[in-house]
Amino acid sequence: MLKRLIAAVAGASLALAALSACGSGGDSASGSGSGKLVLGFSQVGAESGWRTANTKDIQEAAKAAGVDLKFSDAQQKQENQIAAIRSFIKQKVDVIAFSPVVVTGWDAVLKEAKAADIPVVLTDRAVDSDASLYVTFLGSDFVEEGKKAGDWLVGEYKDAKEPVNIVQLEGTVGAAPAIDRKKGFEQAIAANPNLKVIASQSGDFTRAKGKEVMQALLKAHKDIDVLFAHNDDMGLGAMQAIQEAGLTPGKDIKIVTVDAVKDGMQALADGKFNFIVECNPLLGGQLMDTAKKVKAGETVAKRIVTVETVFDQAKAKEALPTRKY
Ligand code: GZL
């Protein structure tokens, strides 16, 4: 009698599990069961103006493309991204995409997605995992962005006779844009031996941390000529610290940043920043096109590089009125 009862309960729970899997997009042919492509997306967080613009664009693009978007915000924690990807695998979404907060630590979960036969698209940032574990990487060339910032400084100080002291606010430790912008920047400024990085520290891509670190740098160094910040938000936080120290940003200390979000472009147009390298967050349309191609079994390029430009103060004034983000 007891055996029959246990068998009955076991059978029921198995059926229940199968039902719930199907109920949450178990039919991988159509994902949500509505025939729509189901895309699981794990976002880094909401740490900067760039990130919020990127999120908004992905959500709007999904709606416009008729894609059923399962969106997860990891609050800049890798463990939350891994949990979200595992949840997408369990839901049997059609495609998984994510912007990896750091480059390392993804092999296991990417292998789980591969074993579940769910294709993975990287957006925005890269990983150091084997390239066979994802279909494509759609995002900027961060080394090139750092180089553009460095090249501008080399030109700006080509006639300098004295050392030019630079402090660098790096992005999140271990993140691809932080690693590669630093690499491109420092390679570029090597062309002018007067350009010296006297301090370099992470501000985690946030305004608050950028201000805090710049306050400490201003106390430790009385002879800072230039700040290179890996994103506008850290530059804006540092700008406040510079002003509170009684100095004039854009004049006493020149400021070069990356992103070109509205607040950064306003600071540039107002003469408080001196140069911004654009990092385009509007990846949503390309992501939806790529996800549909991947689902349809079409081949996509292993690397899709985002198109972006640079802004000086005059160009920022022209661009601001029509800036999308
Ligand atoms: C770059 C992106 C970076 C931005 C920062 O593609 O990953 O992360 O430059 C954001 O503003 O926080």
Side-chain angles (χ1 to χ4, degrees):
M1 176 59 177
L2 184 59
K3 270 189 183 159
R4 272 209 305 276
L5 185 62
I6 291 167
V9 167
S13 57
L14 269 177
L16 197 65
L19 202 64
S20 65
C22 282
S24 51
D27 166 10
S28 63
S30 66
S32 60
S34 64
K36 281 186 171 184
L37 183 148
V38 181
L39 172 65
F41 185 84
S42 169
Q43 179 61 292
V44 166
E47 74 283 358
S48 64
W50 189 98
R51 189 64 54 199
T52 43
N54 179 246
T55 291
K56 182 167 176 280
D57 189 64
I58 286 168
Q59 290 170 333
E60 286 173 356
K63 210 174 282 172
V67 167
D68 178 358
L69 179 69
K70 311 265 181 209
F71 182 90
S72 157
D73 174 333
Q75 290 154 356
Q76 285 190 286
K77 291 185 175 60
Q78 180 173 33
E79 60 269 26
N80 292 346
Q81 290 201 285
I82 290 170
I85 292 168
R86 286 190 168 130
S87 163
F88 297 146
I89 292 169
K90 221 166 142 207
Q91 296 176 58
K92 295 189 177 178
V93 300
D94 294 310
V95 179
I96 291 171
F98 72 113
S99 168
V101 61
V102 291
V103 292
T104 55
W106 303 100
D107 291 358
V109 74
L110 289 175
K111 284 174 183 161
E112 290 165 30
K114 195 169 182 86
D117 198 21
I118 300 177
V120 174
V121 172
L122 297 183
T123 68
D124 166 30
R125 298 183 182 179
V127 296
D128 68 358
S129 299
D130 187 280
S132 66
L133 293 174
Y134 54 86
V135 177
T136 184
F137 165 38
L138 160 60
S140 305
D141 179 340
F142 301 129
V143 174
E144 183 59 24
E145 291 173 347
K147 179 179 182 303
K148 287 176 183 174
D151 288 347
W152 182 81
L153 273 181
V154 168
E156 193 68 10
Y157 286 98
K158 63 184 179 310
D159 302 325
K161 301 283 179 282
E162 300 291 316
V164 177
N165 296 324
I166 301 165
V167 293
Q168 181 173 207
L169 282 176
E170 300 179 22
T172 302
V173 175
I179 295 164
D180 287 350
R181 284 171 186 163
K182 177 184 173 79
K183 183 175 161 193
F185 179 73
E186 293 178 356
Q187 278 171 350
I189 64 169
N192 181 338
N194 277 323
L195 296 176
K196 297 190 181 318
V197 176
I198 59 172
S200 192
Q201 203 175 324
S202 174
D204 205 20
F205 281 132
T206 68
R207 220 172 276 209
K209 194 75 180 152
K211 179 176 182 179
E212 184 191 314
V213 172
M214 192 66 194
Q215 284 168 331
L217 291 173
L218 286 163
K219 286 198 180 79
H221 302 279
K222 296 303 170 206
D223 52 357
I224 299 171
D225 300 304
V226 176
L227 161 66
F228 171 49
H230 288 184
N231 79 334
D232 292 345
D233 289 76
M234 292 190 292
L236 291 161
M239 182 183 80
Q240 280 179 347
I242 291 167
Q243 286 166 323
E244 289 168 10
L247 299 169
T248 307
K251 291 190 173 31
D252 296 329
I253 296 179
K254 284 189 168 43
I255 300 178
V256 179
T257 67
V258 185
D259 276 353
V261 295
K262 196 160 272 183
D263 289 351
M265 293 285 273
Q266 190 60 60
L268 183 58
D270 295 346
K272 293 173 184 161
F273 281 11
N274 300 85
F275 190 73
I276 301 183
V277 175
E278 183 182 47
C279 178
N280 187 347
L282 306 182
L283 307 176
Q286 281 178 293
L287 172 57
M288 298 310 147
D289 292 348
T290 304
K292 287 186 173 178
K293 282 184 181 148
V294 167
K295 187 60 201 157
E298 293 173 34
T299 46
V300 294
K302 196 70 188 172
R303 178 75 176 90
I304 305 167
V305 183
T306 326
V307 177
E308 45 208 28
T309 182
V310 295
F311 293 94
D312 59 19
Q313 291 171 347
K315 223 180 137 189
K317 283 187 187 122
E318 281 166 32
L320 255 176
T322 55
R323 199 85 185 135
K324 258 195 90 177
Y325 56 91

